[in-house]
């Protein structure tokens, strides 16, 4: 069967797919045949008919507010939605046609540079992206280009660049290494260590290492990697060997949590070895999907040859992006959210999410059937598995049964060398209230007696059962 080939219902079935009330004033006037699914229809439909057909099919999607797998924002204020609607037709790349949108992007970069303690926020460089994946690609490109310039006598002839990171990195980093021909040096998990540690990072570095990626908020369990310790280990490595290895902080989630809740944690541009940071505005930046940010501590860290110049109000506007055309709506929404909340507002929102995560984790642990790996003390995210004495069900059974109640709670197996460990993960975001947490606990309590009564787990094949692909 060809990819994406769907079923072919009979003409009578297709005709019955169209509700008579979708038509014109005459209820049966438009009831000829519903439009085809896999080719363009022969003619147009009235706008309400087209809307209703699409709307009804989308009702079968999951409820995004009950999706505890995603880090992406699923609720914003109506005023933000209005602003986004007003800006969705503006192309971000046309900075001279939409100078005020470009100005709001510039202000957001300056605000983030200040938030992340850049030495001189006025000279820190950055840009908006479609998300953290693009931001990571840009940061990786800058690291590789700087390394290639320093090693022009060896590259590309005999030297192959490498990038050191934990096996828990988001898949975009593996894509970067694949697309731009960089060796991915992945530090495996070990025992109860589920992310990169300083000693392992330094041990894998050599003269071909373009940088080390430290994750501020692992998607596997919500934990922060020890950025300051990693930088210190690389400082010591430079003293011993002369190797000067920069660090990129992938703060897709944590870079919009730690500045407000963990102010004493040093992870950002206060560490001289941190050359760049990215975050997802559409995660804990509290904006609907479609915006990320990449920042470099100064122009030195972003090679000039990677930056393109466009005319902006008669001046020079630098731009650095993989994508070209994209709407300005998300950038405008980010600026709105920065104005709307300020530091105190962000602190209140993120603290609420962390409080909900901690409380929910404690109540799940108290049930006795589960063991917590993390408790929501860093990202408002926690992972848990079944207790050692539970043999009648596994995490995949729990995920499957919760899905029947509308909850999307991912179950998945950890990577090397902890493939033996399967967990559930809960992401608490703005909009996931204490009331919703109560409803989740109640549904889980109702399901547990049935799960406990099973003779064995429903699915023995963990690979087939995995309901989340990192």
């Amino acid at each position: 069967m060809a990819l994406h080939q769907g079923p072919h219902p009979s003409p009578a079935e297709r005709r019955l797919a169209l509700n008579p009330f979708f038509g014109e004033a005459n209820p049966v006037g438009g009831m000829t045949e519903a439009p085809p699914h896999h080719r363009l229809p022969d003619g147009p439909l009235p706008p309400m008919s087209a809307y209703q057909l699409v709307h009804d099919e989308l009702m079968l999607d999951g409820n995004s507010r009950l999706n505890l797998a995603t880090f992406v924002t699923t609720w914003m204020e109506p005023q933000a939605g209005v602003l986004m609607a007003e800006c969705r037709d503006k192309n971000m790349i046309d900075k001279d046609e939409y100078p005020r949108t470009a100005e709001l992007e510039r202000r957001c970069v300056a605000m983030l540079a200040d938030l992340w303690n850049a030495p001189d926020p006025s000279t820190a460089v950055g840009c908006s992206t479609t998300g953290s994946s693009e931001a990571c690609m840009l940061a990786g490109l800058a690291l590789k280009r700087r390394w290639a310039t320093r090693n022009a006598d060896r590259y590309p002839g005999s030297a192959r660049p490498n990038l050191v990171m934990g096996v828990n990195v988001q898949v975009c980093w593996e894509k970067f290494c694949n697309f731009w021909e960089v060796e991915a040096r992945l530090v495996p998990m070990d025992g109860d260590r589920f992310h990169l540690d300083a000693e392992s990072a330094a041990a894998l570095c050599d003269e071909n290492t373009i940088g080390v990626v430290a994750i501020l908020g692992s998607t596997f369990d919500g934990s922060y990697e020890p950025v300051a310790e990693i930088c210190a280990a690389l400082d010591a490595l430079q003293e011993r060997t002369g190797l000067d290895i920069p660090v990129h902080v992938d703060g897709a989630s944590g870079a919009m949590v730690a500045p407000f809740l963990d102010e004493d944690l040093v992870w950002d541009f206060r560490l001289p070895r941190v050359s760049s940071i990215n975050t997802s505005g559409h995660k804990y930046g509290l904006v609907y999907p479609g915006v990320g940010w990449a920042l470099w501590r100064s122009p030195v860290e972003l090679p000039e040859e990677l930056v393109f110049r466009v005319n902006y109000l008669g001046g020079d506007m630098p731009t650095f992006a993989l994508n070209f055309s994209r709407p300005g709506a998300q950038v405008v929404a980010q600026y709105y959210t920065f104005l709307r909340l300020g530091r105190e507002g962000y602190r209140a929102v993120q603290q609420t999410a962390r409080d909900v995560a901690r409380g929910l984790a404690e109540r799940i642990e108290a049930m006795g059937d589960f063991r917590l790996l993390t408790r929501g003390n860093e990202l408002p995210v926690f992972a848990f598995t079944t207790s050692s004495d539970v043999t009648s069900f596994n995490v995949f059974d729990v995920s499957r049964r919760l899905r029947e109640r509308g909850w999307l709670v991912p179950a998945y197996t950890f990577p090397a060398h902890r493939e033996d460990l399967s967990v559930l993960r809960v992401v608490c975001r703005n909009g996931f209230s204490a009331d919703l947490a109560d409803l989740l606990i109640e549904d889980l309590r109702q399901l547990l007696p049935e799960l406990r009564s099973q003779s064995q787990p429903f699915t023995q094949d963990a690979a087939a059962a995995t309901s989340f692909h990192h």
Side-chain angles (χ1 to χ4, degrees), residues 104-139:
L104 297 190
E105 179 188 28
R106 189 192 66 80
R107 293 180 191 175
C108 287
V109 168
M111 289 177 177
L112 289 170
D114 178 67
L115 184 68
W116 296 339
N117 296 292
D120 183 358
S122 64
T123 63
V125 292
C127 61
S128 67
T129 63
T130 54
S132 271
S133 293
E134 183 187 2
C136 291
M137 299 282 179
L138 298 178

Side-chain angles (χ1 to χ4, degrees), residues 205-433:
C205 292
D206 59 24
E207 68 275 9
N208 294 327
T209 301
I210 65 174
V212 172
V213 176
I215 310 294
L216 197 71
S218 171
T219 58
F220 277 94
D221 62 1
S223 61
Y224 295 160
E225 290 186 340
V227 182
E229 293 177 17
I230 291 170
C231 288
L234 294 176
D235 289 342
L237 178 69
Q238 184 176 9
E239 290 180 7
R240 295 194 309 271
T241 66
L243 295 174
D244 185 8
I245 310 295
V247 169
H248 172 79
V249 177
D250 183 348
S253 293
M256 293 305 296
V257 174
F260 307 110
L261 302 187
D262 307 298
E263 296 180 75
D264 294 333
L265 180 68
V266 178
W267 62 273
D268 52 18
F269 290 127
R270 287 170 289 182
L271 297 167
R273 196 164 290 278
V274 173
S275 65
S276 51
I277 301 172
N278 73 274
T279 197
S280 292
H282 60 223
K283 291 180 180 172
Y284 287 98
L286 308 180
V287 174
Y288 282 141
V291 64
W293 300 93
L295 270 71
W296 291 262
R297 69 183 301 116
S298 74
V300 174
E301 280 75 23
L302 180 59
E304 178 65 25
E305 62 268 26
L306 295 178
V307 180
F308 291 83
R309 304 284 174 177
V310 297
N311 187 286
Y312 171 61
L313 295 179
D316 194 40
M317 167 65 78
T319 178
F320 179 34
L322 297 179
N323 291 301
F324 202 69
S325 296
R326 57 188 175 91
Q330 281 80 5
V331 167
V332 171
Q334 183 74 85
Y335 185 69
Y336 164 86
T337 307
F338 284 170
L339 285 186
R340 172 76 176 87
L341 292 177
R343 287 179 180 257
E344 288 305 315
Y346 263 99
R347 183 172 294 110
V349 169
Q350 313 301 36
Q351 186 64 59
T352 297
R354 181 179 281 181
D355 290 345
V356 170
R358 285 171 166 171
L360 186 57
E362 290 174 1
R363 293 163 74 184
I364 287 175
E365 182 181 43
M367 291 178 177
D369 298 84
F370 303 104
R371 176 174 64 87
L372 294 178
L373 274 67
T374 49
R375 298 177 173 272
N377 294 327
E378 294 176 320
L379 288 190
V381 174
F382 63 94
F384 60 103
T385 188
T386 51
S387 299
S388 58
D389 58 344
V390 172
T391 58
S392 59
F393 65 91
N394 58 26
V395 294
F396 304 104
D397 291 338
V398 177
S399 178
R400 176 176 53 83
R401 293 303 307 275
L402 284 173
R403 183 179 288 266
E404 295 171 3
R405 305 292 183 102
W407 299 103
L408 303 178
V409 179
Y412 52 94
T413 302
F414 271 26
H417 294 147
R418 287 308 313 267
E419 297 95 336
D420 59 308
L421 180 60
S422 298
V423 305
L424 293 147
R425 189 199 66 200
V426 172
V427 178
C428 297
R429 307 177 306 279
N430 183 40
F432 182 68
S433 63

